[in-house]
Amino acid sequence: MNGVQISPDESILWQSEVWPVVKINATLAFTWLVMALLVIGSWWITRRLTSDTKIPRWQNLLEVLVTGIRDQIRDVSRHDPGPYLPFVGTLFLFIAVANLLSIVPGYVAPTGSLSTTAALATCVFVAVPVFGIASHGVGEYLKRYLQPTPLMLPFNLIGELSRTLALAVRLYGNMMSGAVIAAILISFVPLFIPIVMQVMGLLTGMIQAYIFAVLAMVYIASATKVAK
Amino acid sequence: MSIDWFTFTAQVINFLVLVGLLRHFLYGPVVRAMQAREQKVTQRLTDAEAAKAEANQQRVELEKQSQLLQEQRDDLFTKAKAEADSERQRLIAEARKEADTRRAHWTSTFERDQKELANQTRRDIQRMGFQAARETIQQLADEDLQKRVCQTFVKQLQMLNEIQRASIATQLADSGNPVLVRSTDELDDTDRSLIREAIHQVFQNNAEVRFESEPALIAGIEMDAGGYSLPWNAERALKKMEANVA
């Protein structure tokens, strides 16, 4: 990637000659890397879990992580975190790991791709009504768009779409800007400052992962709450 | 800033696949492990509570048993002490009784021995006294004493009352035997005639009088008249005195 390429989508690794639209770019490659790390790491640690009071340190790490996510979900939704844990937890873990790996030279965070953030936001966009309907049925959920008056229907729809768009663009903008600023600073001040910016980037990446997951949970919680 | 729709679609699929995989490999096992641990801890706490309750119950029971044992021990101790006191009193009384019995026995034995010794001593003294008197009288027995004995015998004879005199005279007459006079030493003629006259005078007859010597008599004279005996000698007097003293 050079200074011109601001999205990993543009870094094509492989492209089908038959269907040129089918291609493997850096976004997909690094996404699979992140997925592989998460899945293999989870499998490696959870293959010998114990329910004793004395547990291995890696299991302890995972339990702290999962317990933290569950507590956050419970704090936001006031519901049992069980049904939401896989979706919201995966959002957080994927974004966090994807962003944290930015410290590795040559790696480009897939979250710096608008395609990725849009895909994640779309997943949230779909998940909100799915959880709402799963909780209390279709009719009850759809009534939400007619509240407080049917006249508000267009605005509710616009709000739904706009917050999905905001979700996608917020993450993309933050991640992309961090990479761009780092690239620009390297051209001006090659020493020290880029390191500070890398640290700032790690912090920003974690904050963005947290914000994205919590906002997703807030949207889902509002859907289930309204359904009540 | 554009969206690559193939990448977009692939990322949606990737994310959904990741959700499924993490659900299978991460959230499920970890949550199950934590729930199992919570259940185990809860079970352990429950078991611990039960064990604690049981321990408390056992403690209460043990305290009761301990108290019971203490009371029983005290009772036994008190009873044993009372029995020991009673036994001690009994033994003391028995010992005192035995001591009294022995003392009484000893006292009686001692008194008997003392009396026996006193009697023996008295008998010995008497025997020795009378022996000494006999020896003294024998040694002193000379003519004057013989005369004094004769005179005393005559006085004795004359002191017989009328009934005795008559009775002896009758017997002399009936038997026809002579009057026998025994003395320690041979009497001289004076003494013999004095005695003969006295006999004749007292019994109012002329009965024959025969004289014999009898050394066993101590300073004395014996008269045998027709079965009636009139003795006078120191041996007889000493025997009489000895019988009275004993």
Side-chain angles (χ1 to χ4, degrees), chain A residues 20-50:
Chain A
V21 74
V22 176
K23 56 184 179 294
I24 295 175
N25 52 26
T27 303
L28 288 177
F30 288 127
T31 297
W32 291 336
L33 175 67
V34 171
M35 286 171 67
L37 280 175
L38 283 172
V39 172
I40 292 171
S42 300
W43 169 78
W44 181 259
I45 296 170
T46 59
R47 72 200 160 97
R48 53 178 75 165
L49 285 181
T50 174

Side-chain angles (χ1 to χ4, degrees), chain A:
Chain A
M1 192 179 100
N2 52 43
V4 180
Q5 291 177 324
I6 57 171
S7 170
D9 288 358
E10 298 169 13
S11 179
I12 309 293
L13 301 177
W14 177 84
Q15 191 163 17
S16 173
E17 295 178 357
V18 182
W19 296 293
V21 74
V22 176
K23 56 184 179 294
I24 295 175
N25 52 26
T27 303
L28 288 177
F30 288 127
T31 297
W32 291 336
L33 175 67
V34 171
M35 286 171 67
L37 280 175
L38 283 172
V39 172
I40 292 171
S42 300
W43 169 78
W44 181 259
I45 296 170
T46 59
R47 72 200 160 97
R48 53 178 75 165
L49 285 181
T50 174
S51 59
D52 287 340
T53 50
K54 186 176 174 67
I55 57 175
R57 64 182 69 179
W58 288 108
Q59 179 180 348
N60 191 31
L61 174 69
L62 280 194
E63 288 188 4
V64 167
L65 205 57
V66 172
T67 307
I69 296 170
R70 283 163 63 92
D71 289 345
Q72 286 294 326
I73 294 171
R74 188 182 287 112
D75 287 347
V76 172
S77 68
R78 309 285 178 195
H79 289 161
D80 172 35
Y84 315 114
L85 176 65
F87 184 79
V88 178
T90 305
L91 272 178
F92 173 75
L93 286 178
F94 175 72
I95 297 169
V97 173
N99 293 346
L100 285 178
L101 285 177
S102 299
I103 201 79
V104 179
Y107 172 86
V108 181
T111 45
S113 154
L114 186 58
S115 304
T116 304
T117 57
L120 296 178
T122 304
C123 287
V124 174
F125 178 76
V126 174
V128 169
V130 166
F131 280 114
I133 292 167
S135 291
H136 299 288
V138 180
E140 284 290 319
Y141 178 74
L142 289 179
K143 275 184 187 172
R144 172 196 179 281
Y145 293 102
L146 301 177
Q147 298 295 333
T149 164
L151 287 175
M152 292 297 287
L153 178 62
F155 301 104
N156 283 334
L157 289 175
I158 291 169
E160 197 78 21
L161 289 169
S162 65
R163 76 183 184 192
T164 303
L165 183 66
L167 205 57
V169 173
R170 183 187 299 110
L171 179 60
Y172 163 73
N174 275 289
M175 298 316 297
M176 184 271 290
S177 64
V180 170
I181 288 169
I184 293 169
L185 280 175
I186 284 170
S187 62
F188 286 115
V189 190
L191 297 176
F192 304 119
I193 297 297
I195 297 174
V196 178
M197 290 309 296
Q198 286 279 2
V199 174
M200 287 291 291
L202 291 178
L203 182 63
T204 309
M206 283 302 295
I207 291 172
Q208 288 307 315
Y210 178 75
I211 288 173
F212 197 100
V214 166
L215 282 178
M217 191 59 234
V218 168
Y219 298 154
I220 293 168
S222 69
T224 51
K225 195 186 293 179
V226 168
K228 286 181 180 177

Side-chain angles (χ1 to χ4, degrees), chain B residues 105-118:
Chain B
H105 178 69
W106 289 337
T107 305
S108 68
T109 306
F110 178 73
E111 284 175 351
R112 197 175 63 231
D113 290 350
Q114 197 179 24
K115 200 177 282 180
E116 186 70 25
L117 183 65

